[in-house]
Amino acid sequence: MTRDAVVIGGGVSGLAAAHGLASRGHKVTLLERQTHTGGSAITERLGGFLMEHGPSTMNAHIPAAGQISSELGLDAQRCDLGVGVRNRYLVSAGKLSAISTGPLGMLTASYLSPMAKLRILADFLLPQRSGGKDETVMDFCSRRFGKEFAERIIDPMVAGIYGGRASALSVSAIFPKLVALEEKYGSVSLGAMHARREGGKMPGSRLFSWRDGIAALPRALALGLGNRIRTGATVRRISPCHGGFTIDLGPQGRLQAKSVIVATQAHVAAQLLAGLDPQAATAAGRIHAPPMAVVFLGYPRRQVAHSLDGLGFLTAEAENRKLIGAQFCSTMFPGRAPAGHVAVSAYIGGARAPHMARLPGPELIRLARSEFRDLIGAEGEPSIARVRHWPLGLPQYEIGHQGLAEVLRTTARRHEGLFLTGNYLAGPSVANCLHLAQETALAVHGYLEGRNDIQFRRSAAR
Ligand SMILES: Cc1cc2nc3c(=O)[nH]c(=O)nc-3n(C[C@H](O)[C@H](O)[C@H](O)COP(=O)(O)OP(=O)(O)OC[C@H]3O[C@@H](n4cnc5c(N)ncnc54)[C@H](O)[C@@H]3O)c2cc1C
């Protein structure tokens, strides 16, 4: 068998895993079913606008993000958040209200009642929870900071970042640092103060992108991989064979490799693993990804009343808005709109309102326009309007997720040479995907080296 590894899926996860193997000298082939690589990282330039239809930001707090930017020579076109980003907004009583970060700001915020502010402080005094059962983000935050804070601040955040509901997602899966602070210090707030004093990093994000948008990353990875990539190649089945695996591409034939990395979405992994590792297939099949729609709108500047001096806004469910949230794209990064114009994008659906994400494009544009008219005073016809439907948006890290992820991350223990990577295992952000893909490539490298070592010893002994 001459091929060391086949990577299935050409999103950021698969590309980064293949890059990690190729740069260690392994013979690798990446198979992608679409005609282009990048997966959900899709950037489009049209009429002077730069539109992100999927991810729009990289989290610099995760070292893999900055490292890959340097390694691929993308630093020259890297852009950090624009100076105009002074606020993050929350929709409160039908209006945008700047979210104050830091405890003092929170205590003077207009979007929380006096009782809710007092209740936040109770976190300093409340006893630590006993018993290690997984808890939802909503239960954890309500217990520590009160229900109003959890519903008005945390749930919108969870909807904006994970497309999910705080009442369903597992706190230990998505905010493990908060759980650890409670465990170590008895109080999240006390823990955060200690951690800051000790120079530790708090959960957070520092965002960046590139001049040509997020798609610059998969493009650079794909360029480096060159003819190791085969697009338009849909994997139908993986089966074990002597010395490795056979990868069945239906009418396009078969490939063989010593190892396989499945780097697809969870539901595809479930199908591909069904005959091979039923335990992993069942676990992958239990990870849902509700639909999401992204509506990008560009307006002449004079048609929008709001200063757009922020990242965008989030909405609490009780506000009954049609949008989960929105980004002020042209404030966030340079070059997102032509001179004299602004660009905003709306996020619709997710676990909160999956049916809304399935509405036809023109209906979604109508909804987004009407919400932007109400909330940021965007009047008249937009200069550009584009919709992207994601039938399966972001994977939901629900209660019990860590058990599922454990089963999925240990496929190689049950089937030597079989590895998984992707956004449903160790965090959905692009930076999380990069980090896990690099770890996976290292594990595959270790496996291949060990295997070669055994073969070398066997042939030397003959
Ligand atoms: C609307 C939206 C907004 C987001 N915003 C952000 C953000 O701002 N910041 C951030 O960090 N993250 C964001 N994310 C999350 C992030 O974009 C994704 O989690 C990440 O890009 C996933 O990469 P991946 O390679 O794991 O999966 P994917 O990008 O889904 O790639 C999987 C690939 O596998 C291929 N494939 C599937 N089946 C087969 C098969 N049988 N054979 C061959 N190939 C196959 C698919 O065609 C696809 O290309 C967002 C996601 C969405 C949907």
Side-chain angles (χ1 to χ4, degrees):
M1 194 161 306
T2 53
R3 192 177 282 105
D4 289 330
V6 160
V7 177
I8 306 172
V12 169
S13 296
L15 289 165
H19 169 79
L21 286 172
S23 59
R24 290 182 174 88
H26 294 292
K27 197 165 176 227
V28 55
T29 302
L30 182 144
L31 303 170
E32 165 55 49
R33 76 173 163 195
Q34 300 191 67
T35 50
H36 56 270
T37 50
S40 39
I42 302 176
T43 308
E44 186 188 8
R45 252 189 213 286
L46 192 68
F49 290 93
L50 186 136
M51 299 171 258
E52 297 287 15
H53 297 305
S56 53
T57 54
M58 298 287 292
N59 185 354
H61 273 306
I62 299 173
Q67 279 159 11
I68 198 104
S69 177
S70 313
E71 191 185 330
L72 298 173
L74 291 173
D75 277 353
Q77 59 148 303
R78 179 173 157 159
C79 22
D80 292 307
L81 281 182
V83 284
V85 180
R86 283 182 286 273
N87 286 307
R88 287 162 200 243
Y89 289 99
L90 196 67
V91 178
S92 175
K95 292 201 162 47
L96 296 198
S97 194
I99 310 177
S100 336
T101 47
L104 268 183
M106 207 66 89
L107 295 178
T108 53
S110 61
Y111 45 81
L112 288 174
S113 69
M115 275 310 283
K117 291 173 192 166
L118 272 177
R119 179 62 183 79
I120 293 173
L121 295 174
D123 174 59
F124 282 103
L125 309 169
L126 284 169
Q128 187 178 348
R129 186 176 80 125
S130 56
K133 246 183 93 202
D134 200 2
E135 220 179 352
T136 64
V137 175
M138 182 61 89
D139 286 346
F140 178 90
C141 292
S142 301
R143 185 168 58 73
R144 296 296 335 167
F145 304 106
K147 199 157 185 284
E148 189 176 326
F149 175 80
E151 286 178 352
R152 295 213 63 87
I153 313 281
I154 302 296
D155 191 53
M157 228 170 83
V158 166
I161 304 173
Y162 299 95
R165 306 182 96 122
S167 55
L169 301 193
S170 151
V171 70
S172 49
I174 68 168
F175 295 137
K177 285 193 177 164
L178 297 187
V179 178
L181 288 178
E182 184 191 19
E183 269 169 20
K184 187 166 175 197
Y185 299 97
S187 144
V188 178
S189 315
L190 262 182
M193 285 164 68
H194 276 286
R196 253 184 227 119
R197 223 173 290 137
E198 289 158 16
K201 276 194 190 138
M202 283 303 297
S205 55
R206 194 159 60 80
L207 305 174
F208 74 92
S209 181
W210 294 280
R211 186 194 57 222
D212 297 329
I214 296 290
L217 171 66
R219 204 178 301 124
L221 284 166
L223 198 69
L225 287 165
N227 61 9
R228 297 180 187 92
I229 296 176
R230 262 178 79 177
T231 53
T234 304
V235 175
R236 311 287 160 120
R237 209 172 121 85
I238 310 165
S239 44
C241 67
H242 180 67
F245 298 88
T246 300
I247 294 96
D248 183 0
L249 295 169
Q252 296 189 43
R254 289 163 174 216
L255 294 181
Q256 290 199 323
K258 294 175 198 162
S259 64
V260 175
I261 301 182
V262 179
T264 63
Q265 304 89 329
H267 72 283
V268 181
Q271 289 158 17
L272 293 176
L273 295 173
L276 192 60
D277 187 341
Q279 198 187 345
T282 306
R286 283 176 55 193
I287 300 171
H288 312 121
M292 171 99 86
V294 185
V295 183
F296 182 98
L297 296 174
Y299 290 93
R301 182 70 191 93
R302 59 176 188 283
Q303 284 178 218
V304 180
H306 195 278
S307 63
L308 305 181
D309 59 344
L311 213 54
F313 60 81
L314 296 169
T315 64
E317 200 161 357
E319 289 286 327
N320 272 324
R321 305 304 312 195
K322 307 278 188 276
L323 316 183
I324 309 171
Q327 285 184 345
F328 301 158
C329 315
S330 48
T331 313
M332 285 170 66
F333 299 114
R336 269 45 180 169
H341 289 72
V342 291
V344 287
S345 48
Y347 294 82
I348 299 174
R352 199 188 269 181
H355 59 285
M356 301 266 298
R358 297 190 190 101
L359 291 171
E363 179 75 355
L364 288 169
I365 292 174
R366 199 187 57 74
L367 279 181
R369 283 182 59 186
S370 124
E371 290 287 84
F372 284 132
R373 188 178 313 119
D374 259 19
L375 295 167
I376 58 169
E379 297 292 345
E381 283 292 316
S383 325
I384 192 167
R386 299 283 275 191
V387 175
R388 174 84 197 191
H389 286 98
W390 294 101
L392 297 164
L394 286 158
Q396 301 295 293
Y397 287 44
E398 292 174 354
I399 288 285
H401 185 86
Q402 276 163 313
L404 302 178
E406 176 62 19
V407 170
L408 291 162
R409 291 181 68 173
T410 52
T411 45
R413 283 192 211 148
R414 295 181 295 275
H415 299 276
E416 270 199 358
L418 176 66
F419 298 85
L420 300 187
T421 196
N423 66 358
Y424 55 95
L425 294 166
S429 75
V430 172
N432 290 138
C433 290
L434 285 171
H435 178 76
L436 182 64
Q438 288 169 351
E439 277 189 353
T440 309
L442 196 61
V444 178
H445 170 66
Y447 167 72
L448 291 168
E449 289 293 288
R451 214 181 114 119
N452 290 342
D453 218 32
I454 290 167
Q455 272 165 0
F456 173 74
R457 274 191 261 126
R458 276 195 195 135
S459 58
R462 252 180 239 139

